[in-house]
Coordinates of all heavy atoms in Angstrom, one line a residue:
G1 N -1.9 -11.3 26.4 CA -0.4 -11.2 26.3 C -0.1 -10.0 25.6 O -0.7 -9.5 24.7
S2 N 1.1 -9.5 25.9 CA 1.7 -8.4 25.2 C 2.5 -8.8 24.0 O 2.9 -10.0 23.9 CB 2.6 -7.6 26.1 OG 3.7 -8.3 26.5
V3 N 2.6 -7.9 23.1 CA 3.3 -8.3 21.8 C 4.7 -7.7 22.0 O 5.0 -6.6 22.4 CB 2.6 -7.6 20.6 CG1 3.4 -7.8 19.3 CG2 1.2 -8.1 20.5
E4 N 5.7 -8.6 21.6 CA 7.1 -8.2 21.6 C 7.4 -7.1 20.5 O 6.8 -7.2 19.4 CB 8.0 -9.4 21.3 CG 7.9 -10.4 22.5 CD 8.6 -10.0 23.7 OE1 9.6 -9.2 23.7 OE2 8.0 -10.3 24.8
P5 N 8.2 -6.2 20.8 CA 8.6 -5.2 19.8 C 9.4 -5.9 18.6 O 10.1 -6.9 18.9 CB 9.4 -4.1 20.5 CG 9.8 -4.8 21.8 CD 8.8 -5.9 22.1
L6 N 9.3 -5.4 17.5 CA 10.1 -5.9 16.3 C 11.5 -5.6 16.5 O 11.9 -4.5 16.9 CB 9.6 -5.3 15.0 CG 8.1 -5.7 14.6 CD1 7.7 -4.9 13.3 CD2 8.0 -7.2 14.4
S7 N 12.4 -6.6 16.1 CA 13.8 -6.3 16.1 C 14.2 -5.3 15.0 O 13.4 -5.0 14.1 CB 14.6 -7.6 15.9 OG 14.4 -8.0 14.5
L8 N 15.3 -4.6 15.2 CA 15.7 -3.6 14.2 C 15.9 -4.3 12.8 O 15.5 -3.6 11.8 CB 17.0 -3.0 14.7 CG 17.6 -1.9 13.8 CD1 16.6 -0.8 13.7 CD2 18.9 -1.4 14.3
Q9 N 16.4 -5.5 12.8 CA 16.6 -6.1 11.5 C 15.2 -6.4 10.8 O 15.1 -6.1 9.6 CB 17.3 -7.5 11.6 CG 18.7 -7.3 12.0 CD 18.9 -7.2 13.5 OE1 18.0 -7.2 14.3 NE2 20.2 -7.0 14.0
I10 N 14.3 -6.8 11.5 CA 12.9 -7.1 10.9 C 12.3 -5.8 10.5 O 11.7 -5.6 9.4 CB 12.0 -7.8 11.9 CG1 12.6 -9.2 12.3 CG2 10.6 -7.9 11.4 CD1 12.6 -10.1 11.1
L11 N 12.4 -4.7 11.3 CA 11.8 -3.4 11.0 C 12.5 -2.9 9.7 O 11.8 -2.4 8.8 CB 12.1 -2.4 12.1 CG 11.4 -1.1 12.0 CD1 9.9 -1.2 11.9 CD2 11.8 -0.2 13.2
L12 N 13.8 -3.0 9.6 CA 14.5 -2.5 8.4 C 14.1 -3.3 7.2 O 13.9 -2.8 6.1 CB 16.0 -2.5 8.6 CG 16.6 -1.5 9.5 CD1 18.1 -1.8 9.7 CD2 16.4 -0.1 9.0
L13 N 13.9 -4.6 7.3 CA 13.5 -5.5 6.2 C 12.1 -5.0 5.8 O 11.8 -5.0 4.6 CB 13.5 -6.9 6.6 CG 13.1 -7.9 5.6 CD1 14.1 -7.9 4.4 CD2 13.0 -9.3 6.2
L14 N 11.2 -4.8 6.7 CA 9.8 -4.4 6.4 C 9.8 -3.0 5.7 O 9.1 -2.8 4.7 CB 9.0 -4.3 7.6 CG 8.5 -5.6 8.2 CD1 7.9 -5.4 9.6 CD2 7.6 -6.4 7.3
V15 N 10.6 -2.1 6.2 CA 10.6 -0.7 5.6 C 11.2 -0.8 4.2 O 10.7 -0.2 3.2 CB 11.4 0.2 6.5 CG1 11.7 1.6 5.8 CG2 10.6 0.5 7.8
S16 N 12.3 -1.5 4.1 CA 13.0 -1.6 2.8 C 12.1 -2.4 1.8 O 12.0 -2.0 0.6 CB 14.3 -2.4 2.9 OG 15.2 -1.7 3.8
G17 N 11.5 -3.5 2.2 CA 10.6 -4.2 1.3 C 9.4 -3.4 0.9 O 9.0 -3.5 -0.3
S18 N 8.8 -2.6 1.8 CA 7.7 -1.8 1.5 C 8.1 -0.7 0.4 O 7.4 -0.5 -0.6 CB 7.2 -1.1 2.7 OG 6.1 -0.3 2.4
F19 N 9.3 -0.1 0.7 CA 9.7 0.9 -0.2 C 10.0 0.3 -1.6 O 9.5 0.9 -2.6 CB 11.0 1.6 0.3 CG 11.6 2.5 -0.6 CD1 11.1 3.8 -0.8 CD2 12.7 2.2 -1.4 CE1 11.7 4.7 -1.6 CE2 13.3 3.1 -2.3 CZ 12.8 4.4 -2.4
L20 N 10.7 -0.8 -1.7 CA 10.9 -1.4 -3.0 C 9.7 -1.8 -3.7 O 9.5 -1.7 -4.9 CB 11.9 -2.5 -2.8 CG 13.3 -2.1 -2.4 CD1 14.2 -3.4 -2.1 CD2 14.0 -1.3 -3.5
G21 N 8.8 -2.4 -2.9 CA 7.5 -2.9 -3.5 C 6.7 -1.8 -4.1 O 6.2 -1.8 -5.2
F22 N 6.6 -0.6 -3.4 CA 5.8 0.5 -3.9 C 6.5 1.2 -5.1 O 5.9 1.7 -6.0 CB 5.4 1.5 -2.8 CG 4.3 1.0 -2.0 CD1 4.4 0.5 -0.7 CD2 3.0 1.1 -2.6 CE1 3.3 0.1 0.0 CE2 1.9 0.6 -1.8 CZ 2.1 0.1 -0.6
Q23 N 7.9 1.2 -5.1 CA 8.6 1.7 -6.2 C 8.4 0.8 -7.4 O 8.2 1.3 -8.5 CB 10.1 1.7 -5.9 CG 10.5 2.9 -5.0 CD 10.2 4.2 -5.6 OE1 10.6 4.5 -6.7 NE2 9.5 5.0 -4.8
W24 N 8.4 -0.5 -7.3 CA 8.1 -1.4 -8.4 C 6.7 -1.2 -8.9 O 6.4 -1.1 -10.1 CB 8.2 -2.9 -8.0 CG 7.9 -3.8 -9.1 CD1 8.6 -4.2 -10.0 CD2 6.6 -4.3 -9.3 NE1 7.9 -5.0 -10.9 CE2 6.7 -5.1 -10.5 CE3 5.3 -4.2 -8.7 CZ2 5.6 -5.8 -11.0 CZ3 4.3 -4.9 -9.2 CH2 4.4 -5.7 -10.4
L25 N 5.7 -1.0 -7.9 CA 4.3 -0.8 -8.3 C 4.2 0.5 -9.2 O 3.5 0.6 -10.2 CB 3.5 -0.7 -7.1 CG 2.0 -0.5 -7.4 CD1 1.4 -1.7 -8.1 CD2 1.2 -0.4 -6.0
F26 N 4.9 1.6 -8.7 CA 4.9 2.9 -9.4 C 5.5 2.8 -10.8 O 4.9 3.3 -11.8 CB 5.6 4.0 -8.6 CG 5.5 5.3 -9.2 CD1 4.5 6.1 -9.0 CD2 6.6 5.8 -10.0 CE1 4.4 7.4 -9.6 CE2 6.5 7.0 -10.6 CZ 5.4 7.9 -10.4
H27 N 6.7 2.2 -10.9 CA 7.5 2.2 -12.2 C 7.1 1.1 -13.2 O 7.2 1.3 -14.4 CB 9.0 2.2 -11.9 CG 9.4 3.4 -11.2 ND1 9.6 4.6 -11.9 CD2 9.9 3.6 -9.9 CE1 10.0 5.5 -11.0 NE2 10.2 5.0 -9.8
T28 N 6.6 0.0 -12.6 CA 6.4 -1.2 -13.5 C 5.0 -1.7 -13.4 O 4.3 -1.9 -14.4 CB 7.4 -2.3 -13.1 OG1 8.7 -1.8 -13.2 CG2 7.3 -3.5 -14.1
G29 N 4.5 -2.0 -12.2 CA 3.2 -2.7 -12.0 C 2.0 -1.8 -12.5 O 1.2 -2.3 -13.4
S30 N 2.0 -0.6 -12.1 CA 0.9 0.3 -12.4 C 0.8 0.6 -13.9 O -0.2 0.5 -14.5 CB 0.9 1.6 -11.6 OG 0.0 2.5 -12.1
P31 N 2.0 1.0 -14.5 CA 1.9 1.2 -16.0 C 1.5 0.0 -16.8 O 0.7 0.1 -17.7 CB 3.4 1.6 -16.4 CG 3.9 2.1 -15.1 CD 3.3 1.3 -14.0
W32 N 1.9 -1.2 -16.4 CA 1.6 -2.4 -17.2 C 0.1 -2.7 -17.0 O -0.6 -2.9 -18.0 CB 2.4 -3.6 -16.6 CG 2.1 -4.9 -17.4 CD1 2.7 -5.2 -18.6 CD2 1.1 -5.9 -17.1 NE1 2.2 -6.4 -19.0 CE2 1.2 -6.8 -18.1 CE3 0.2 -6.1 -16.1 CZ2 0.4 -7.9 -18.2 CZ3 -0.6 -7.2 -16.1 CH2 -0.5 -8.1 -17.1
V33 N -0.5 -2.6 -15.8 CA -1.9 -2.8 -15.6 C -2.7 -1.7 -16.3 O -3.7 -2.0 -17.0 CB -2.3 -2.9 -14.1 CG1 -3.8 -2.8 -13.9 CG2 -1.6 -4.1 -13.5
S34 N -2.2 -0.5 -16.2 CA -3.0 0.6 -16.8 C -3.1 0.6 -18.3 O -4.1 0.8 -18.9 CB -2.3 2.0 -16.4 OG -2.4 2.1 -14.9
Q35 N -1.9 0.2 -18.9 CA -2.0 0.2 -20.4 C -2.8 -1.0 -20.9 O -3.2 -1.0 -22.1 CB -0.6 0.3 -21.0 CG 0.3 -0.9 -20.7 CD 1.8 -0.6 -21.2 OE1 2.1 0.5 -21.6 NE2 2.6 -1.6 -21.2
N36 N -2.8 -2.1 -20.1 CA -3.6 -3.2 -20.5 C -5.1 -3.1 -20.2 O -6.0 -3.7 -20.9 CB -3.1 -4.5 -19.9 CG -1.8 -4.9 -20.6 OD1 -1.7 -5.1 -21.8 ND2 -0.7 -5.0 -19.8
L37 N -5.5 -2.3 -19.3 CA -6.9 -2.2 -18.9 C -7.5 -0.9 -19.4 O -8.7 -0.8 -19.6 CB -7.1 -2.2 -17.4 CG -6.8 -3.5 -16.7 CD1 -7.0 -3.4 -15.2 CD2 -7.7 -4.6 -17.2
C38 N -6.7 0.2 -19.6 CA -7.2 1.5 -20.0 C -6.4 1.9 -21.2 O -5.3 2.5 -21.0 CB -7.0 2.5 -18.8 SG -7.8 2.0 -17.3
K39 N -6.9 1.7 -22.3 CA -6.2 2.1 -23.6 C -5.8 3.6 -23.7 O -4.8 3.9 -24.3 CB -6.9 1.6 -24.8 CG -7.2 0.1 -24.9 CD -5.9 -0.7 -24.8 CE -6.3 -2.2 -24.8 NZ -5.1 -3.0 -24.5
G40 N -6.6 4.4 -23.0 CA -6.3 5.9 -23.0 C -5.0 6.2 -22.2 O -4.5 7.3 -22.4
F41 N -4.5 5.3 -21.4 CA -3.3 5.6 -20.6 C -2.1 5.9 -21.5 O -1.3 6.9 -21.2 CB -3.0 4.4 -19.8 CG -1.7 4.5 -19.0 CD1 -1.6 5.3 -17.9 CD2 -0.5 3.9 -19.4 CE1 -0.5 5.5 -17.1 CE2 0.7 4.1 -18.6 CZ 0.6 4.8 -17.5
L42 N -2.0 5.3 -22.7 CA -0.9 5.6 -23.6 C -1.0 6.9 -24.2 O 0.0 7.5 -24.7 CB -0.8 4.5 -24.6 CG -0.5 3.1 -24.1 CD1 -0.6 2.1 -25.2 CD2 0.8 3.0 -23.4
N43 N -2.2 7.6 -24.2 CA -2.3 8.9 -24.8 C -2.1 10.0 -23.8 O -2.1 11.2 -24.2 CB -3.8 9.0 -25.4 CG -4.0 8.0 -26.5 OD1 -3.1 7.7 -27.3 ND2 -5.2 7.5 -26.6
L44 N -1.8 9.7 -22.6 CA -1.6 10.7 -21.6 C -0.2 11.3 -21.7 O 0.7 10.6 -22.2 CB -1.7 10.1 -20.1 CG -3.1 9.6 -19.7 CD1 -3.0 8.9 -18.4 CD2 -4.1 10.7 -19.7
S45 N -0.1 12.5 -21.3 CA 1.3 13.2 -21.3 C 2.1 12.6 -20.2 O 1.6 11.9 -19.3 CB 1.1 14.7 -21.1 OG 0.7 14.9 -19.8
P46 N 3.4 12.7 -20.3 CA 4.3 12.2 -19.2 C 3.8 12.7 -17.8 O 3.8 11.9 -16.8 CB 5.7 12.7 -19.5 CG 5.6 12.9 -21.0 CD 4.2 13.3 -21.4
T47 N 3.4 14.0 -17.7 CA 3.0 14.5 -16.4 C 1.7 13.8 -15.9 O 1.6 13.5 -14.8 CB 2.8 16.0 -16.5 OG1 4.0 16.6 -16.9 CG2 2.3 16.6 -15.2
E48 N 0.8 13.6 -16.9 CA -0.5 12.9 -16.5 C -0.2 11.5 -16.2 O -0.9 11.0 -15.3 CB -1.5 13.0 -17.7 CG -2.0 14.4 -18.0 CD -2.8 14.6 -19.2 OE1 -2.4 13.9 -20.3 OE2 -3.7 15.4 -19.2
R49 N 0.7 10.8 -16.8 CA 1.0 9.4 -16.5 C 1.6 9.3 -15.1 O 1.3 8.4 -14.3 CB 2.0 8.8 -17.5 CG 1.4 8.5 -18.8 CD 2.4 7.8 -19.7 NE 1.9 7.7 -21.0 CZ 2.5 7.0 -22.0 NH1 3.6 6.3 -21.7 NH2 2.0 7.0 -23.2
T50 N 2.5 10.3 -14.7 CA 3.0 10.3 -13.4 C 1.9 10.5 -12.3 O 1.9 9.8 -11.3 CB 4.1 11.4 -13.2 OG1 5.1 11.2 -14.2 CG2 4.6 11.5 -11.8
E51 N 1.0 11.4 -12.6 CA -0.2 11.6 -11.7 C -1.0 10.3 -11.6 O -1.4 9.9 -10.5 CB -1.0 12.8 -12.2 CG -2.2 13.1 -11.3 CD -1.8 13.7 -10.0 OE1 -0.7 14.3 -9.9 OE2 -2.7 13.6 -9.1
W52 N -1.2 9.7 -12.7 CA -2.0 8.4 -12.8 C -1.4 7.4 -11.9 O -2.0 6.7 -11.1 CB -2.2 8.0 -14.2 CG -2.9 6.7 -14.4 CD1 -2.5 5.4 -14.2 CD2 -4.3 6.6 -15.0 NE1 -3.5 4.5 -14.5 CE2 -4.5 5.2 -15.0 CE3 -5.2 7.5 -15.5 CZ2 -5.7 4.7 -15.5 CZ3 -6.4 7.0 -16.0 CH2 -6.6 5.6 -16.0
K53 N -0.1 7.1 -12.1 CA 0.7 6.1 -11.4 C 0.7 6.4 -9.9 O 0.5 5.5 -9.0 CB 2.1 6.0 -11.9 CG 2.1 5.5 -13.3 CD 3.6 5.2 -13.8 CE 4.4 6.5 -13.9 NZ 5.7 6.3 -14.4
S54 N 0.9 7.7 -9.6 CA 0.9 8.1 -8.2 C -0.5 7.8 -7.5 O -0.6 7.3 -6.3 CB 1.1 9.6 -8.1 OG 1.1 10.1 -6.8
R55 N -1.6 8.1 -8.2 CA -2.9 7.8 -7.6 C -3.1 6.3 -7.5 O -3.8 5.9 -6.5 CB -4.0 8.5 -8.5 CG -4.0 10.0 -8.4 CD -5.0 10.6 -9.3 NE -4.9 12.0 -9.3 CZ -5.9 12.9 -9.2 NH1 -7.1 12.4 -9.1 NH2 -5.7 14.2 -9.1
A56 N -2.6 5.5 -8.5 CA -2.8 4.1 -8.4 C -2.0 3.5 -7.2 O -2.6 2.7 -6.4 CB -2.3 3.4 -9.7
V57 N -0.8 4.0 -7.0 CA 0.0 3.5 -5.8 C -0.7 4.0 -4.5 O -0.8 3.2 -3.5 CB 1.4 4.0 -5.9 CG1 2.2 3.8 -4.6 CG2 2.1 3.4 -7.0
S58 N -1.2 5.2 -4.5 CA -1.9 5.7 -3.3 C -3.2 4.9 -3.0 O -3.4 4.6 -1.8 CB -2.3 7.2 -3.5 OG -3.0 7.7 -2.4
T59 N -3.9 4.5 -4.0 CA -5.1 3.6 -3.8 C -4.7 2.3 -3.2 O -5.3 1.8 -2.3 CB -5.8 3.5 -5.1 OG1 -6.2 4.8 -5.6 CG2 -7.0 2.6 -5.0
V60 N -3.6 1.7 -3.8 CA -3.2 0.4 -3.2 C -2.8 0.5 -1.8 O -3.1 -0.3 -1.0 CB -2.1 -0.2 -4.1 CG1 -1.4 -1.4 -3.5 CG2 -2.6 -0.6 -5.5
H61 N -2.0 1.6 -1.5 CA -1.6 1.8 -0.1 C -2.7 2.0 0.8 O -2.7 1.4 1.9 CB -0.7 3.0 -0.1 CG -0.1 3.3 1.3 ND1 -0.7 4.2 2.1 CD2 0.9 2.8 1.9 CE1 -0.1 4.3 3.2 NE2 0.9 3.4 3.2
A62 N -3.7 2.8 0.4 CA -4.9 3.0 1.2 C -5.7 1.7 1.5 O -6.1 1.4 2.6 CB -5.8 4.0 0.6
L63 N -5.8 0.8 0.5 CA -6.4 -0.5 0.6 C -5.7 -1.4 1.6 O -6.3 -2.0 2.5 CB -6.6 -1.2 -0.7 CG -7.6 -0.6 -1.7 CD1 -7.5 -1.2 -3.1 CD2 -9.0 -0.8 -1.1
L64 N -4.4 -1.4 1.5 CA -3.6 -2.2 2.4 C -3.7 -1.7 3.9 O -3.9 -2.5 4.8 CB -2.1 -2.2 2.0 CG -1.8 -3.0 0.8 CD1 -0.3 -2.8 0.3 CD2 -2.0 -4.5 1.0
V65 N -3.5 -0.4 4.0 CA -3.7 0.1 5.4 C -5.1 -0.1 6.0 O -5.2 -0.5 7.1 CB -3.3 1.6 5.4 CG1 -3.7 2.3 6.7 CG2 -1.8 1.8 5.1
G66 N -6.1 0.1 5.1 CA -7.4 -0.2 5.6 C -7.6 -1.6 6.0 O -8.3 -1.9 7.0
L67 N -7.1 -2.6 5.2 CA -7.2 -4.0 5.6 C -6.5 -4.3 6.9 O -7.0 -5.1 7.7 CB -6.7 -4.9 4.4 CG -7.6 -4.9 3.2 CD1 -6.9 -5.7 2.1 CD2 -8.9 -5.6 3.5
F68 N -5.3 -3.7 7.1 CA -4.6 -3.9 8.3 C -5.4 -3.4 9.5 O -5.5 -4.0 10.5 CB -3.2 -3.2 8.3 CG -2.2 -3.9 7.5 CD1 -1.3 -3.2 6.8 CD2 -2.1 -5.3 7.5 CE1 -0.3 -3.9 6.0 CE2 -1.1 -6.0 6.8 CZ -0.2 -5.2 6.0
C69 N -6.0 -2.2 9.3 CA -6.8 -1.6 10.4 C -8.0 -2.5 10.7 O -8.4 -2.7 11.8 CB -7.2 -0.2 10.0 SG -5.9 1.0 10.0
L70 N -8.7 -3.0 9.7 CA -9.8 -3.8 9.9 C -9.4 -5.1 10.6 O -10.1 -5.5 11.5 CB -10.5 -4.2 8.5 CG -11.8 -5.0 8.5 CD1 -12.8 -4.2 9.3 CD2 -12.2 -5.2 7.1
Y71 N -8.3 -5.7 10.2 CA -7.8 -6.9 10.9 C -7.6 -6.6 12.4 O -8.0 -7.4 13.3 CB -6.5 -7.4 10.2 CG -5.9 -8.5 10.9 CD1 -6.3 -9.9 10.7 CD2 -4.9 -8.4 11.9 CE1 -5.8 -10.9 11.4 CE2 -4.3 -9.4 12.6 CZ -4.8 -10.7 12.3 OH -4.2 -11.8 13.0
I72 N -6.9 -5.5 12.7 CA -6.6 -5.1 14.1 C -7.9 -4.9 14.8 O -8.1 -5.4 15.9 CB -5.7 -3.9 14.1 CG1 -4.3 -4.3 13.6 CG2 -5.6 -3.3 15.6 CD1 -3.4 -3.1 13.4
Y73 N -8.9 -4.2 14.2 CA -10.1 -3.9 14.8 C -10.9 -5.2 15.2 O -11.5 -5.3 16.2 CB -11.0 -3.0 13.9 CG -12.3 -2.7 14.5 CD1 -12.4 -1.8 15.5 CD2 -13.5 -3.3 14.0 CE1 -13.7 -1.5 16.1 CE2 -14.7 -3.0 14.6 CZ -14.8 -2.1 15.6 OH -16.0 -1.8 16.1
I74 N -10.8 -6.2 14.3 CA -11.6 -7.4 14.5 C -10.9 -8.3 15.5 O -11.5 -9.0 16.3 CB -11.8 -8.1 13.2 CG1 -12.8 -7.3 12.3 CG2 -12.4 -9.6 13.4 CD1 -12.9 -7.8 10.9
F75 N -9.5 -8.5 15.4 CA -8.8 -9.5 16.2 C -8.0 -9.1 17.3 O -7.6 -9.9 18.1 CB -7.9 -10.3 15.2 CG -8.7 -11.0 14.2 CD1 -8.7 -10.6 12.8 CD2 -9.4 -12.2 14.5 CE1 -9.4 -11.3 11.9 CE2 -10.1 -12.9 13.5 CZ -10.1 -12.5 12.2
D76 N -7.8 -7.8 17.5 CA -7.0 -7.3 18.7 C -7.9 -7.3 20.0 O -8.9 -6.6 20.0 CB -6.4 -6.0 18.4 CG -5.5 -5.5 19.5 OD1 -4.3 -6.0 19.5 OD2 -5.9 -4.7 20.3
E77 N -7.4 -8.0 21.0 CA -8.2 -8.1 22.2 C -8.4 -6.7 22.9 O -9.5 -6.4 23.4 CB -7.6 -9.0 23.2 CG -7.6 -10.5 22.7 CD -6.9 -11.4 23.7 OE1 -6.7 -11.1 24.8 OE2 -6.6 -12.5 23.2
A78 N -7.3 -5.9 22.9 CA -7.4 -4.6 23.6 C -8.4 -3.7 22.9 O -9.1 -2.9 23.5 CB -6.0 -4.0 23.7
I79 N -8.4 -3.7 21.6 CA -9.3 -2.9 20.8 C -10.7 -3.4 21.0 O -11.7 -2.6 21.1 CB -9.0 -3.0 19.3 CG1 -7.6 -2.4 19.0 CG2 -10.0 -2.3 18.4 CD1 -7.5 -0.9 19.2
Q80 N -10.9 -4.7 21.1 CA -12.3 -5.2 21.3 C -12.8 -4.8 22.7 O -14.0 -4.5 22.8 CB -12.3 -6.8 21.2 CG -12.1 -7.2 19.8 CD -12.0 -8.7 19.7 OE1 -12.0 -9.4 20.7 NE2 -12.0 -9.2 18.5
K81 N -11.9 -4.7 23.7 CA -12.4 -4.3 25.0 C -12.8 -2.8 25.0 O -13.7 -2.5 25.7 CB -11.3 -4.6 26.0 CG -11.1 -6.1 26.3 CD -10.0 -6.3 27.3 CE -9.7 -7.8 27.4 NZ -8.5 -8.1 28.2
D82 N -12.0 -2.0 24.3 CA -12.3 -0.5 24.4 C -11.9 0.1 23.0 O -10.8 0.6 22.8 CB -11.5 0.1 25.5 CG -11.9 1.6 25.7 OD1 -12.9 2.1 25.0 OD2 -11.4 2.2 26.6
P83 N -12.8 0.0 22.0 CA -12.5 0.4 20.6 C -12.3 1.9 20.5 O -11.7 2.3 19.5 CB -13.7 0.0 19.8 CG -14.8 -0.3 20.8 CD -14.2 -0.6 22.1
V84 N -12.7 2.7 21.4 CA -12.5 4.2 21.3 C -11.1 4.5 21.7 O -10.5 5.3 21.0 CB -13.5 4.9 22.1 CG1 -13.3 6.4 22.1 CG2 -14.9 4.7 21.6
W85 N -10.6 4.0 22.8 CA -9.3 4.3 23.2 C -8.3 3.3 22.9 O -7.1 3.4 22.9 CB -9.3 4.5 24.8 CG -10.2 5.6 25.1 CD1 -11.4 5.5 25.7 CD2 -10.0 7.0 24.9 NE1 -11.9 6.7 25.9 CE2 -11.1 7.7 25.4 CE3 -8.9 7.7 24.4 CZ2 -11.2 9.1 25.4 CZ3 -9.1 9.1 24.4 CH2 -10.2 9.8 24.9

């Protein structure tokens, strides 16, 4: 079976939720985890903290995208029939 395209409302909800979630991770989540796990985080300059938070968010994003790709690779029938194309 084919998959129905997402409605505009669902697409906007997903994009907005993703944006807000990653903003929260950058401004709140990453600094909280970093200062509790890595005591040196508090000694970083503001520029270094921004770089640290950016890399943390990038790592989380890469993990999520990688998991989605793995899920699609394992469970999508069209991919299983012809994984190259």
Side-chain angles (χ1 to χ4, degrees):
S2 65
V3 177
E4 294 291 324
L6 294 175
S7 70
L8 182 59
Q9 291 85 2
I10 297 295
L11 186 60
L12 288 174
L13 182 65
L14 287 171
V15 169
S16 300
S18 177
F19 175 78
L20 292 173
F22 280 105
Q23 286 298 309
W24 177 87
L25 184 61
F26 182 84
H27 293 288
T28 306
S30 173
W32 184 83
V33 170
S34 296
Q35 66 189 10
N36 286 306
L37 291 181
C38 307
K39 299 304 177 190
F41 176 77
L42 297 174
N43 298 327
L44 297 175
S45 71
T47 302
E48 290 171 325
R49 285 186 192 188
T50 299
E51 181 70 22
W52 179 287
K53 295 185 297 183
S54 179
R55 289 175 187 228
V57 171
S58 178
T59 300
V60 170
H61 181 264
L63 288 169
L64 286 173
V65 170
L67 289 173
F68 285 141
C69 291
L70 185 60
Y71 175 83
I72 290 168
Y73 180 74
I74 292 171
F75 294 107
D76 186 78
E77 291 178 20
I79 296 293
Q80 290 176 351
K81 290 177 184 172
D82 191 359
V84 174
W85 297 107

